[in-house]
């Protein structure tokens, strides 16, 4: 008998049958009080007990954000239904899909953190529907957290307000509180709080990396999956983030946090960076010495990440979905690359070309973000396999998605991981459904055992520094020697601190 009602620390809760009646969905569960009014830009407050029964039968709110413009790639791919949902700061909710028949089932748990450059997206977007993953014997949790200015604004006033001198990283604190909620309550849904895997894509992958470096949550999860990530660029210090936050608010005539707290959320969210126009997501997590003790690249190089099982990967055409953002000139690229890769910068500039219009376009399409993502993943595997005792698994999605010429674009693996192909506009065929079944099985095995292998799936070997290879996820998935060139090699060395 599926669990349709249960008790959590805050009170009684009622879910609803998913499309598969063996799975129950509990939607829009609040794990924190509303971060509104004076609670804007403050640590999340755990949800207080409610009276009666909480009907978790519809999803909650979306954090206020700038939606990609209609007609752009990502609006069509992931955001075409977002305008139908309510945007409100009271967004700290999570969703659970459970196949458990009893609280004593003790099933493994997946906690998924959505991406979106820390500026956009939401936990119940169609690609993250947890029903089919749950049907494989896993309790699936997807979480909302504060985004953009609401989640990551740092400011001297906020530092002065904080008893610990902290500012920014409110979105990361939301993620930590959600994880704590899961650990304290997931047994009520038949989940095992001692068998949690955290996962995320893009900025969600960066979140997973940051949580894997955070001493506050050490021991809270046993595995981590980073999809289309993790980014290994330099993190801002809290001081730098405060200066940027202060300058941003002053640009709009806001000279104190008191003034900023009076601005309506629908207006305030417009002040942050617009990713779809190619603006840099400079409002993001910062090194505060507590939640993020050091830059994530330093944590990787110094062997400070949690010693757990990792899966990390990217797609082979990461930047092909971002062609509307290609506005850089040759001079701008040269300026960006001047010190981009430390003492490898000069050598890197010699092996890439960006003088003509064709070279500039090719650089942005194939060498920039696409190869950066490959280098991030290769460097992560190389360093973590050196410092950690637990295995690391490396993948690259190579399936050309049908419907356009974007190929295996940034974050496209979500459709396969969650087997949500039916929620997408693309004309997927039988090969895609077979691949989705295989990919989802790999992920489910990793969540259950810390090892993606099982059944008749092609064998996926852990990363080996002496003969690096990854699982090429395609119609015929197979282990592939790591694709490389001099430009990638230089970046891998830089990210490894060599």
């Amino acid at each position: 008998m599926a669990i349709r009602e249960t008790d959590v620390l805050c009170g009684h809760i009622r879910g609803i049958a998913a499309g598969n009646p063996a799975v129950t969905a509990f939607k829009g569960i609040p794990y924190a009080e509303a971060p509104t009014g004076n609670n804007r830009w403050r640590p999340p407050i755990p949800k207080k007990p409610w009276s009666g029964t909480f009907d978790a039968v519809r999803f909650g709110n979306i954090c206020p954000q700038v939606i990609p413009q209609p007609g752009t790639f990502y609006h069509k791919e992931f955001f075409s239904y977002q305008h139908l949902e309510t945007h409100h700061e009271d967004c700290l909710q999570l969703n659970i899909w459970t196949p458990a028949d009893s609280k004593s089932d003790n099933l493994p748990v997946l906690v998924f953190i959505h991406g979106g450059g820390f500026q956009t997206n939401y936990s119940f977007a169609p690609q993250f529907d947890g029903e089919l993953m749950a049907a494989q014997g896993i309790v699936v949790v997807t979480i909302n957290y504060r985004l953009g200015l609401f989640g990551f604004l740092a400011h001297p006033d906020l530092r002065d307000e904080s008893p610990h001198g902290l500012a920014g990283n409110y979105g990361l604190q939301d993620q930590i509180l959600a994880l704590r909620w899961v650990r304290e309550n997931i047994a009520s849904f038949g989940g095992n709080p001692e068998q949690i895997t955290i996962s995320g894509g893009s900025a969600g992958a960066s979140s997973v990396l940051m949580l894997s470096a955070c001493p506050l949550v050490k021991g809270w999860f046993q595995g981590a999956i980073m999809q289309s990530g993790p980014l290994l660029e330099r993190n801002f210090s809290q001081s730098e983030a405060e200066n940027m936050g202060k300058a941003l608010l002053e640009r709009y005539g806001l000279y104190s946090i008191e003034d900023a707290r009076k601005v309506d959320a629908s207006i305030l969210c417009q002040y942050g960076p617009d990713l779809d126009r190619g603006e840099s997501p400079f409002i993001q997590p910062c090194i505060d010495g507590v939640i993020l003790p050091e830059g994530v690249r330093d944590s990787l190089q110094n062997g400070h990440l949690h010693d757990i099982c990792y899966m990390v990967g990217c797609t082979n055409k990461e930047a092909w979905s971002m062609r509307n953002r290609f506005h850089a000139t040759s001079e701008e690229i040269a300026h960006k690359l001047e010190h981009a890769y430390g003492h490898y910068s000069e050598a890197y500039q010699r092996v890439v070309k960006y003088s003509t219009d064709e070279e500039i376009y090719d650089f942005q399409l194939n060498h920039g973000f696409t190869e950066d993502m490959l280098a991030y993943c290769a460097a992560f595997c190389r360093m973590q396999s050196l410092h950690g005792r637990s295995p690391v698994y490396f993948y690259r999605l190579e399936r050309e998605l049908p419907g356009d010429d974007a190929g295996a674009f940034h974050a496209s693996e979500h459709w396969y991981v969650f087997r949500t192909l039916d929620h997408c506009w693309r004309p997927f065929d039988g090969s895609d459904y077979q691949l989705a079944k295989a990919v989802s099985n790999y992920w489910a095995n990793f969540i259950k055992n810390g090892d993606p292998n099982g059944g008749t799936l092609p064998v996926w070997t852990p990363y080996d520094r002496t003969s690096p290879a990854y699982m090429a996820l395609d119609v015929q998935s197979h282990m592939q020697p790591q694709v490389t060139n001099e430009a990638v090699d230089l970046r891998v060395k830089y990210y490894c601190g060599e």
Side-chain angles (χ1 to χ4, degrees):
M1 183 68 179
I3 298 175
R4 295 285 193 257
E5 299 187 34
T6 191
D7 292 295
V8 295
L9 294 180
C10 287
H12 195 67
I13 188 169
R14 179 186 298 124
I16 188 171
N20 177 352
V23 174
T24 304
F26 293 84
K27 305 176 180 180
I29 304 172
Y31 65 85
E33 295 295 315
T36 55
N38 287 332
N39 288 332
R40 179 187 283 176
W41 299 312
R42 285 191 174 142
I45 301 170
K47 183 65 180 176
K48 297 175 183 176
W50 55 71
S51 58
T53 298
F54 182 86
D55 282 316
V57 297
R58 61 178 298 164
F59 294 116
N61 299 323
I62 294 174
C63 183
Q65 59 192 261
V66 176
I67 301 175
Q69 289 296 309
T72 58
F73 182 92
Y74 277 112
H75 182 274
K76 182 178 182 180
E77 191 71 23
F78 294 140
F79 291 89
S80 58
Y81 298 107
Q82 198 193 57
H83 68 283
L84 302 174
E85 307 297 342
T86 301
H87 290 226
H88 196 281
E89 282 183 273
D90 185 8
C91 63
L92 299 185
Q93 295 114 18
L94 53 80
N95 318 292
I96 299 173
W97 288 264
T98 177
D101 294 322
S102 164
K103 294 180 182 180
S104 62
D105 282 3
N106 219 33
L107 300 176
V109 179
L110 170 67
V111 177
F112 183 80
I113 305 170
H114 71 77
F118 295 108
Q119 316 299 315
T120 64
N121 222 329
Y122 55 110
S123 64
F124 52 96
Q127 64 271 25
F128 307 139
D129 186 332
E131 179 182 334
L132 290 181
M133 179 65 77
Q136 298 185 79
I138 295 165
V139 179
V140 178
V141 184
T142 64
I143 66 172
N144 271 358
Y145 56 99
R146 282 173 283 180
L147 303 169
L149 270 70
F150 304 100
F152 299 99
L153 178 75
H155 191 281
D157 289 357
L158 294 172
R159 179 196 64 222
D160 293 342
E161 283 184 1
S162 168
H164 306 292
L166 302 180
N169 290 345
Y170 305 106
L172 286 181
Q173 293 180 66
D174 297 339
Q175 295 173 13
I176 290 171
L177 181 59
L179 269 175
R180 186 176 122 193
W181 189 99
V182 170
R183 283 175 53 79
E184 292 175 344
N185 293 281
I186 206 65
S188 296
F189 302 87
N192 181 357
E194 300 303 323
Q195 193 179 3
I196 295 173
T197 296
I198 64 172
S199 175
S202 191
S206 291
S207 297
V208 168
L209 179 58
M210 291 173 187
L211 293 171
S212 299
C214 176
L216 302 180
V217 297
K218 190 170 186 178
W220 286 21
F221 47 91
Q222 290 64 52
I225 303 173
M226 289 168 268
Q227 301 167 199
S228 281
L231 272 66
L232 294 176
E233 300 301 336
R234 175 181 173 273
N235 300 108
F236 296 125
S237 68
Q238 181 177 307
S239 177
E240 290 173 310
E242 288 176 15
N243 291 336
M244 287 187 287
K246 185 173 183 290
L248 177 65
L249 292 187
E250 289 179 353
R251 187 188 312 165
Y252 295 98
L254 301 171
Y255 294 94
S256 70
I257 286 298
E258 182 181 3
D259 291 338
R261 284 194 172 115
K262 296 174 183 177
V263 178
D264 187 85
S266 63
I267 296 173
L268 192 65
C269 73
Q270 304 293 323
Y271 295 168
D274 186 341
L275 302 185
D276 219 41
R277 293 179 182 174
E279 297 176 7
S280 173
F282 60 89
I283 301 295
Q284 57 181 277
C286 63
I287 302 169
D288 61 9
V290 177
I291 298 163
L292 200 57
E294 59 186 348
V296 291
R297 191 168 69 225
D298 292 327
S299 294
L300 175 64
Q301 293 174 0
N302 296 331
H304 293 167
L305 298 183
H306 305 173
D307 188 8
I308 58 176
C309 299
Y310 289 97
M311 180 193 290
V312 61
C314 58
T315 68
N316 71 348
K317 291 186 177 178
E318 288 279 348
W320 285 57
S321 55
M322 304 176 186
R323 285 170 282 184
N324 64 306
R325 308 177 190 179
F326 291 177
H327 307 303
T329 65
S330 178
E331 292 75 18
E332 289 170 338
I333 293 174
H335 178 72
K336 179 180 179 181
L337 295 181
E338 188 174 358
H339 303 293
Y341 305 114
H343 60 273
Y344 295 105
S345 299
E346 185 176 340
Y348 179 80
Q349 287 181 282
R350 287 197 300 266
V351 300
V352 293
K353 298 178 180 180
Y354 47 87
S355 297
T356 67
D357 289 345
E358 292 77 10
E359 289 173 349
I360 291 170
Y361 184 81
D362 182 70
F363 175 84
Q364 295 176 94
L365 187 66
N366 296 311
H367 292 290
F369 188 64
T370 294
E371 287 187 346
D372 269 341
M373 293 298 289
L374 177 60
Y376 296 148
C377 294
F380 178 90
C381 293
R382 186 165 169 173
M383 294 307 296
Q384 191 57 25
S385 65
L386 172 66
H387 292 301
R389 295 184 301 275
S390 302
V392 180
Y393 294 91
F394 185 9
Y395 76 86
R396 201 178 194 205
L397 179 67
E398 299 189 346
R399 169 65 172 166
E400 300 277 326
L401 276 71
D404 57 22
D405 65 348
F409 57 87
H410 181 64
S412 57
E413 65 263 58
H414 292 318
W415 296 120
Y416 296 95
V417 170
F418 287 98
R419 296 174 69 183
T420 46
L421 305 183
D422 287 344
H423 298 349
C424 184
W425 66 270
R426 295 177 178 277
F428 291 113
D429 62 23
S431 296
D432 293 291
Y433 283 88
Q434 286 298 317
L435 176 59
K437 182 178 180 181
V439 170
S440 188
N441 283 337
Y442 275 133
W443 262 242
N445 290 338
F446 182 87
I447 294 162
K448 294 175 181 178
N449 307 310
D451 182 340
N453 293 290
T456 60
L457 292 169
V459 175
W460 186 344
T461 55
Y463 184 84
D464 183 346
R465 289 167 57 86
T466 63
S467 56
Y470 55 77
M471 174 57 73
L473 297 172
D474 205 337
V475 175
Q476 298 293 330
S477 296
H478 60 279
M479 291 302 298
Q480 171 72 38
Q482 185 175 303
V483 175
T484 188
N485 57 45
E486 190 174 358
V488 173
D489 287 344
L490 289 168
R491 279 176 283 189
V492 171
K493 291 177 180 178
Y494 168 68
Y495 294 129
C496 289
E498 297 178 359

